[in-house]
Amino acid sequence: MKNYSINKIPSQVQSELAGRFKKFRKSKKIAQSELANKSGVSLGSIKRFEQTGQISLESLLKLAHLFDRLEDFNSIFKIDADLKEIEKLFKL
């Protein structure tokens, strides 16, 4: 069954993230085996991530840290200050 929603589903996000990561890794000219050695993430986990998008959060954070991209995760689940002010208006 096809998803015709405007919003992405988790599997789509996984797939896109895996594709972007693979392109990013290749642009840095780093082999999967070298990445595994440097990051502490198993080669199998890296291969699975790039093929299916499946990876543990801990391993993903290790890879992001290796590429100095850990800051990219700071906005996830962050409550926007402006949003909190708007929510206060509805509670009055």
Side-chain angles (χ1 to χ4, degrees):
M1 178 180 238
K2 293 281 185 184
N3 177 15
Y4 295 105
S5 173
I6 293 173
N7 298 318
K8 295 178 184 176
I9 61 174
S11 61
Q12 289 172 311
V13 174
Q14 276 182 297
S15 180
E16 290 173 6
L17 181 60
R20 285 195 311 270
F21 178 80
K22 186 175 184 177
K23 286 180 185 178
F24 181 79
R25 176 186 59 78
K26 287 184 171 190
S27 76
K28 300 292 184 183
K29 297 180 172 43
I30 297 177
Q32 289 177 329
S33 57
E34 182 183 358
L35 182 60
N37 289 332
K38 288 183 175 185
S39 68
V41 176
S42 73
L43 179 58
S45 290
I46 293 169
K47 286 181 178 183
R48 184 174 47 258
F49 176 45
E50 290 188 358
Q51 291 172 357
T52 68
Q54 295 179 349
I55 190 167
S56 73
L57 178 59
E58 180 181 10
S59 293
L60 182 59
L61 294 175
K62 285 180 180 180
L63 295 173
H65 179 67
L66 181 70
F67 289 116
D68 198 28
R69 300 295 297 260
L70 208 48
E71 291 290 320
D72 292 354
F73 289 88
N74 283 342
S75 63
I76 297 174
F77 301 122
K78 186 175 183 180
I79 297 176
D80 188 11
D82 293 335
L83 184 59
K84 283 182 112 176
E85 292 302 316
I86 292 170
E87 286 175 350
K88 284 180 186 177
L89 293 174
F90 289 104
K91 291 181 181 180
L92 295 177

